[in-house]
Amino acid sequence: MKLGTRFLAVAAVSALAAVSLTGCAASAPEGDGKVSIFGGYGEADSKAFQAALTEFGDANGIEITFTSLASFDKDIKVKIEAGQEPDIALWPQPGGLKDLADNLVPLKDVVDVAAISATLVPGWDKLAVVDGDIYGLPVSANVKSMVFYNPVAFQKAGYAAPTSEAELQALEAKIVADKAGYPWCAGIESGGATGWAFTDWLEQYVLDLYGSEKYAQWVSGELDFASPEITAAAELVQKRLLAEGQVNGGGKSMATDGFGNTAPLFETGGKAKGQCFMLRQGSFITGFFPEKIKAEMAAGDYTHVGAFPLPAPEGGTAGVLGGGDLAAVFAGHVDSDVKKVAEFIYSTKVAEKMVSNGVISPHKDFNTALYPNELNKKIGEAMAAAPLFGFDASDQMPSEVNAEFWLAGTDFVAGKATWAEAAARIDAKY
């Protein structure tokens, strides 16, 4: 463990301009043969990440230790205050990383940022920028832009997965006209976090319609929720989900139906049984599928599970919305070993050991043939082919804004507030 450094400097969400990418990292002092990494991975991902680190470490004469912290954002601050910070840490949210930038080093002083950025899906290199310098780059990713469906149900009804907004609208209309069920499964209830599933829908359309620059302005508060841009995105969500017949029970039911209620996606009884045909959710939603479906998937049977990327609105660009873990290096900890390990975890190689757990690589040149099944491969291909990436916006917003986004968004869905009223409530929290 190297020497401790300073603690906590609050950094505003930065604009995306003036990012320093030029030049290679300066030479580093000789290492001591050990590198420590902290993060917030769960048990399965921690094990896979450590396996990748150990294999690389053994080949390079470096002992690399990964420790998962139970409450990473809180625990890493405690470690820093105690002078027990690691050499490298992985943040699940870019805002927390940027808040601690005074304890970190610009990555241009550690690795060749330009070379790494050139392999990333556009947008990933803009998430941890402070005063024009990049402090964090991604190690792993997840995707929230996929629409899950039941191929058997589609085949029986004569439906095909849409590849454009026009085809999606036609499919929605046909499902309604056929009285086969409801186009969408779309519950947003999640206990104290109720509403986040709605925010994901809005974030997707803001990203698709206006790109990464305005998306970042929205996150920082420069672009109001009441602006014409965000209002237009909200109207798209309203048309897609809240129009009559789109979701079982309409907005009122959507506001109280659990986000993990996936059973209607695999129902076969039609509208009378609440059958729905499409579910836009994060790649983690497969863990909420009925036990029978999960057992099929575990056996490699994807007969009842398919997915396609949510098409972009007319005139938009289909970006990928999601999350992931960004790695940064602590000040006072840069040596030749830390440099080698940082280069490794920022490469495509580390994900090769983790994709079996559902991890997606943020690199556009990742070999998608390495994904363990067709579903993961489709999700990975969607990431690799994305023209831009947007990290979950509400997770980047100040906590008070995020909380009101959930609350006001839920009232909007339930018909208790117009979008103008909901937007005014959220804007007031900045």
Side-chain angles (χ1 to χ4, degrees), residues 1-2 20 62 141 198 230 261 271 301 303 314 318 322 325 347 365 369 406 425:
M1 181 65 69
K2 284 78 175 175
S20 177
I62 307 170
F198 161 74
I230 310 306
N261 179 20
K271 196 169 184 177
D301 180 0
T303 302
E314 190 70 30
D325 294 84
S347 74
D365 60 345
W406 290 347
R425 285 167 50 183

Side-chain angles (χ1 to χ4, degrees), residues 7-377:
F7 172 69
L8 194 58
V10 177
V13 177
S14 66
L16 303 186
V19 177
S20 177
L21 291 175
T22 57
C24 298
S27 59
E30 185 177 353
D32 59 6
K34 296 182 179 181
V35 173
S36 59
I37 305 176
F38 289 174
Y41 283 142
E43 183 177 356
D45 286 341
S46 293
K47 184 177 180 180
F49 187 47
Q50 182 64 71
L53 295 173
T54 298
E55 182 178 289
F56 178 80
D58 289 347
N60 289 274
I62 307 170
E63 180 183 340
I64 312 172
T65 304
F66 176 72
T67 301
S68 185
L69 304 179
S71 300
F72 178 82
D73 286 324
K74 294 180 180 178
D75 293 346
I76 193 65
K77 295 175 184 178
V78 173
K79 294 292 185 182
I80 294 171
E81 286 183 319
Q84 298 175 349
E85 78 276 9
D87 301 313
I88 299 170
L90 276 62
W91 274 262
Q93 294 182 348
L97 188 160
K98 291 190 288 185
D99 284 348
L100 296 171
D102 271 11
N103 301 276
L104 309 171
V105 294
L107 288 181
K108 66 183 181 182
D109 296 335
V110 185
V111 295
D112 187 341
V113 174
I116 296 169
S117 297
T119 73
L120 293 171
V121 173
W124 276 107
D125 58 337
K126 307 292 196 303
L127 295 173
V129 178
V130 178
D131 295 334
D133 281 318
I134 293 174
Y135 282 81
L137 288 171
V139 175
S140 58
N142 58 67
V143 173
K144 293 186 174 185
S145 299
M146 302 301 293
V147 176
F148 294 87
Y149 70 103
N150 181 347
V152 171
F154 264 50
Q155 184 177 17
K156 182 179 179 181
Y159 302 152
T163 60
S164 68
E165 172 66 14
E167 290 181 3
L168 179 57
Q169 289 182 19
L171 175 59
E172 291 172 317
K174 186 165 179 51
I175 292 170
V176 172
D178 291 347
K179 299 182 180 180
Y182 299 91
W184 294 99
C185 321
I188 66 168
E189 190 278 328
S190 185
T194 294
W196 67 259
F198 161 74
T199 72
D200 283 357
W201 270 101
L202 186 61
E203 289 159 4
Q204 182 70 61
Y205 284 140
V206 172
L207 181 68
D208 287 355
L209 287 170
Y210 306 112
S212 57
E213 185 171 352
K214 285 202 172 184
Y215 187 83
Q217 291 172 356
W218 178 44
V219 169
S220 68
E222 295 174 65
L223 186 64
D224 290 344
F225 277 76
S227 68
E229 292 91 341
I230 310 306
T231 298
E235 288 173 349
L236 277 174
V237 179
Q238 186 172 31
K239 181 178 180 181
R240 175 123 288 148
L241 301 179
L242 304 183
E244 186 174 353
Q246 292 293 101
V247 173
N248 188 11
K252 288 183 179 180
S253 292
M254 182 176 160
T256 58
D257 188 19
F259 78 92
N261 179 20
T262 61
L265 188 65
F266 305 99
E267 178 58 67
T268 58
K271 196 169 184 177
K273 295 291 186 179
Q275 182 177 358
C276 52
F277 283 83
M278 295 178 284
L279 170 65
R280 188 221 54 79
Q281 255 297 355
S283 50
F284 55 79
I285 198 63
T286 55
F288 293 85
F289 284 173
E291 292 302 319
K292 179 181 178 181
I293 301 300
K294 288 196 288 186
E296 288 180 358
M297 292 170 61
D301 180 0
Y302 285 81
T303 302
H304 294 95
V305 180
F308 59 87
L310 181 69
E314 190 70 30
T317 300
V320 165
L321 179 74
D325 294 84
L326 304 177
V329 178
F330 280 89
H333 292 248
V334 180
D335 62 26
S336 58
D337 293 334
V338 170
K339 175 180 167 63
K340 287 180 183 178
V341 173
E343 289 172 341
F344 171 66
I345 65 174
Y346 291 140
S347 74
T348 60
K349 295 295 183 183
V350 71
E352 293 178 6
K353 293 285 187 181
M354 302 179 73
V355 291
S356 61
N357 297 329
V359 164
I360 301 299
S361 173
H363 295 269
K364 57 190 177 185
D365 60 345
F366 184 78
N367 182 4
T368 57
L370 296 174
Y371 287 110
N373 54 62
E374 284 303 308
L375 181 62
N376 285 41
K377 185 178 180 183

